């Protein structure tokens, strides 16, 4: 009770403040419980994809401690979906703004998703983030432009954040019949949100000579040329490491199935002495045992690729790092040679590495996504991790496992506890 002057004693003030802080703590706990509320959830099958139709179910915390997000493009349903493994359920990530989502790639360091849309002749990117505590993968809701006026078949992102693309440009009329591999560096991606920066052309399908960038008035005198190589015919999947660029030919013509070359090229200008003298930069063939390469992954143990050989079972093949460095005399599959069969897959599609011990490859015949060990180049038994018909491309994003409490309620809770202790 108040004293004779009507003032509250100190102990009573302490009690009132403690009560208020406890109420705040209870509200914080209630906020945490509400954010993790589980809806009923109804599974449906749409275009062969097991998904969740009840939006309230999307807020259910996913099982497991491994934060491995497997992303996939679905051209027939115009969307990008993901599964947080080992949960096999596909959940929507991008459901609007795409006409023909094809090749996808993830920039792990900058948390960006790149999506090639050949029907629009565009490459878009989205900012990714993980929503807590549910650990659902979401975007910022903004569709950014990475490149335009190019029909892209394959993409890869380097550790530095540079974007590499295989495909055909639509603005260089004399080069419409030539496929090439292009690059947009991290600096341009950070400052150019409209795709206006000109792409650097690294390697072009050709006879081994320098190729000019054509303008309406003829060969450009201000834009560097690019080397051509007979090891490139119709490049599809690509991969990149610190020094090298790797590509597989979707249609190989007279080229090899798999090849590598430098990922940076000191190109001359048109009309220079270096251009007139040809070029001594060459691509190195790595394998020639498949009619087409549908996926490539560079791992700590070697390079893996998916494809379909003539007259033999399709599957995943590999070369060890030592063999990639030394080169192979025999470019065909052999138990005693460089190229090893890693796994049999009925109709292999895209292939991706999770950065650890696993490869993921699609089987377009069954709709299965298979996990294959990447620890060494040798025979491994594939394991089905999820099912989805109609996948075009795969990507993986790894996030560190950590607390599943979102930051705002956690901060309120900690503050309340600290104040209670101080009283």
């Amino acid at each position: 009770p108040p004293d004779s002057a009507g003032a509250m004693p100190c102990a009573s003030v302490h009690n009132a403040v403690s009560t208020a802080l406890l109420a705040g703590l209870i509200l914080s706990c209630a906020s945490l419980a509400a954010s993790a509320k589980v809806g009923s959830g109804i599974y449906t099958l749409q275009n062969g994809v097991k998904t969740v139709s009840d939006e309230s179910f999307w807020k259910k915390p996913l099982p497991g401690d491994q934060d491995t997000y497997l992303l996939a493009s679905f051209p027939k349903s115009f969307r990008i979906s993901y599964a947080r493994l080992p949960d096999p359920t596909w959940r929507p990530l991008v459901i609007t703004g795409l006409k023909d989502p094809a090749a996808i790639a993830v920039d792990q360091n900058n948390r960006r998703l790149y999506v090639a849309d050949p029907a629009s002749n565009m490459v878009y990117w989205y900012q990714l983030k993980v929503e807590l505590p549910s650990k659902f993968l979401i975007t910022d809701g903004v569709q950014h432009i990475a490149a335009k006026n190019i029909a892209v078949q394959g993409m890869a992102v380097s550790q530095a954040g540079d974007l590499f693309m295989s495909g055909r440009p639509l603005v260089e009329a004399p080069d419409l019949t030539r496929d090439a591999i292009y690059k947009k560096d991290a600096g341009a991606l950070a400052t150019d949100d409209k795709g206006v920066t000109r792409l650097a052309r690294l390697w072009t399908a050709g006879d081994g000579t320098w190729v000019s960038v054509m303008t309406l008035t003829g060969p450009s005198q201000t834009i560097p040329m690019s080397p051509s190589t007979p090891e490139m015919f119709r490049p599809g999947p690509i991969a990149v490491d610190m020094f090298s660029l790797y590509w597989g030919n979707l249609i190989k013509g007279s080229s090899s199935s798999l090849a590598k070359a430098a990922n940076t090229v000191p190109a001359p200008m048109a009309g220079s002495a270096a251009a007139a003298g040809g070029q001594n930069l060459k691509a190195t063939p790595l394998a020639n045992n498949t009619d087409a390469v549908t996926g490539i992954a560079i791992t700590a143990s070697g390079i893996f690729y998916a494809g379909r050989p003539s007259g033999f079972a399709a599957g995943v093949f590999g070369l060890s790092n030592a063999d990639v460095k030394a080169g192979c005399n025999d470019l065909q599959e052999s138990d005693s040679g460089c190229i090893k069969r890693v796994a049999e897959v009925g109709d292999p599609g895209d292939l991706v590495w999770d950065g650890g011990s696993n490869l993921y490859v699609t089987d377009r015949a069954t709709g299965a996504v298979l996990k294959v060990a990447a620890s060494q180049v040798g025979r491994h038994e594939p394991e089905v991790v999820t099912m989805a018909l109609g996948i075009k491309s795969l990507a993986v994003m790894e996030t560190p496992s950590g607390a599943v409490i979102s930051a705002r309620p956690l901060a309120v809770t900690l503050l309340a506890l600290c104040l209670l202790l101080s009283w």
Side-chain angles (χ1 to χ4, degrees):
D3 56 18
S4 57
M8 295 287 290
C10 183
S12 298
V13 173
H14 282 191
N15 290 337
V17 174
S18 298
T19 301
L21 291 174
L22 283 172
L25 182 60
I26 293 171
L27 288 174
S28 299
C29 293
S31 175
L32 286 173
S35 64
K37 184 178 179 180
V38 178
S40 58
I42 301 174
Y43 289 101
T44 59
L45 198 65
Q46 300 175 357
N47 296 318
V49 181
K50 184 182 179 185
T51 185
V52 181
S53 59
D54 186 354
E55 186 174 356
S56 63
F57 188 77
W58 297 357
K59 296 301 179 182
K60 180 180 179 180
L62 298 171
D65 296 324
Q66 182 183 1
D67 295 334
T68 300
Y69 295 89
L70 181 67
L71 289 73
S73 62
F74 294 89
K76 291 184 178 179
S77 56
F78 317 108
R79 68 172 56 196
I80 307 295
S81 299
Y82 77 94
R84 178 174 169 259
L85 301 179
D87 185 344
T89 304
W90 290 96
R91 289 175 167 80
L93 181 63
V94 180
I95 59 175
T96 60
L98 297 172
K99 296 180 179 179
D100 181 27
I104 61 175
V106 167
D107 181 346
Q108 294 278 0
N109 296 327
N110 295 308
R111 292 290 186 262
R112 285 184 176 182
L113 167 66
Y114 292 95
V115 180
D117 193 343
S120 302
N121 300 313
M122 305 283 275
V123 176
Y124 302 109
W125 69 267
Y126 303 85
Q127 193 67 53
L128 296 174
K129 58 182 179 179
V130 176
E131 185 184 59
L132 297 176
S134 66
K135 292 193 176 182
F136 279 96
L137 187 63
I138 59 176
T139 73
D140 62 355
V142 180
Q143 186 183 68
H144 310 267
I145 299 175
K148 57 185 179 181
N149 297 320
I150 183 171
V152 169
Q153 295 292 334
M155 292 191 297
V157 182
S158 69
Q159 285 291 326
D162 302 326
L163 178 64
F164 295 79
M165 297 160 279
S166 65
R168 296 186 180 191
L170 302 182
V171 293
E172 299 171 12
D175 288 341
L176 284 180
T177 58
R178 291 202 184 203
D179 285 76
I181 295 180
Y182 294 83
K183 173 186 175 182
K184 186 169 184 178
D185 63 42
L189 288 166
T191 57
D192 175 19
D193 195 34
K194 303 299 181 182
V196 298
T197 303
R198 190 179 189 91
L199 304 177
R201 187 168 57 182
L202 300 184
W203 290 90
T204 305
D207 58 4
T209 58
W210 289 108
V211 179
S212 299
V213 172
M214 301 301 294
T215 66
L216 295 177
T217 58
S220 173
Q221 302 296 315
T222 59
I223 302 174
M225 306 173 78
S226 72
S228 67
T229 173
E231 294 301 334
M232 180 183 296
F233 188 80
R234 181 66 60 82
I238 58 176
V240 64
D241 60 20
M242 186 175 296
F243 302 107
S244 299
L245 176 68
Y246 305 79
W247 66 84
N249 284 300
L250 286 173
I251 303 174
K252 70 176 186 178
S254 59
S255 304
S256 300
S257 304
L258 183 70
K260 77 167 184 175
N263 63 22
T264 57
V265 179
M269 296 294 181
S272 66
Q279 56 96 4
N280 56 12
L281 292 169
K282 295 182 179 180
T284 302
L286 295 177
N288 197 27
N289 66 315
T290 62
D291 293 331
V293 173
T294 57
I296 301 177
I298 301 174
T299 75
S301 57
I303 180 168
F304 296 82
Y305 61 100
R308 300 181 298 275
S310 297
F312 297 94
V316 177
F317 307 87
L319 295 89
S320 68
N321 285 327
D323 289 331
V324 171
K325 183 177 181 180
C328 294
N329 294 324
D330 185 3
L331 301 182
Q332 299 297 320
E333 175 191 350
S334 170
D335 290 336
S336 59
C338 297
I339 301 171
K340 302 291 195 303
R341 179 179 290 269
V342 177
E344 290 191 6
V345 181
D347 185 13
D350 201 12
L351 177 71
V352 67
W353 181 43
D354 66 0
S357 58
N358 300 309
L359 297 163
Y360 298 96
V361 59
T362 60
D363 185 349
R364 295 177 294 193
T366 63
V369 178
L370 306 171
K371 181 172 69 174
V372 180
S375 54
Q376 62 180 3
V377 177
R379 286 274 187 167
H380 299 285
E381 188 66 28
E383 173 190 347
V384 178
V385 295
T386 185
M387 298 288 294
L389 291 171
I391 291 178
K392 176 67 175 179
S393 181
L394 293 175
V396 169
M397 190 180 83
E398 293 277 333
T399 60
S401 296
V404 298
I405 301 177
S406 58
R408 185 165 56 90
L410 178 62
V412 173
T413 303
L414 291 176
L415 178 61
L417 288 173
C418 291
L419 290 174
L420 277 173
L421 291 174
S422 68
W423 281 94

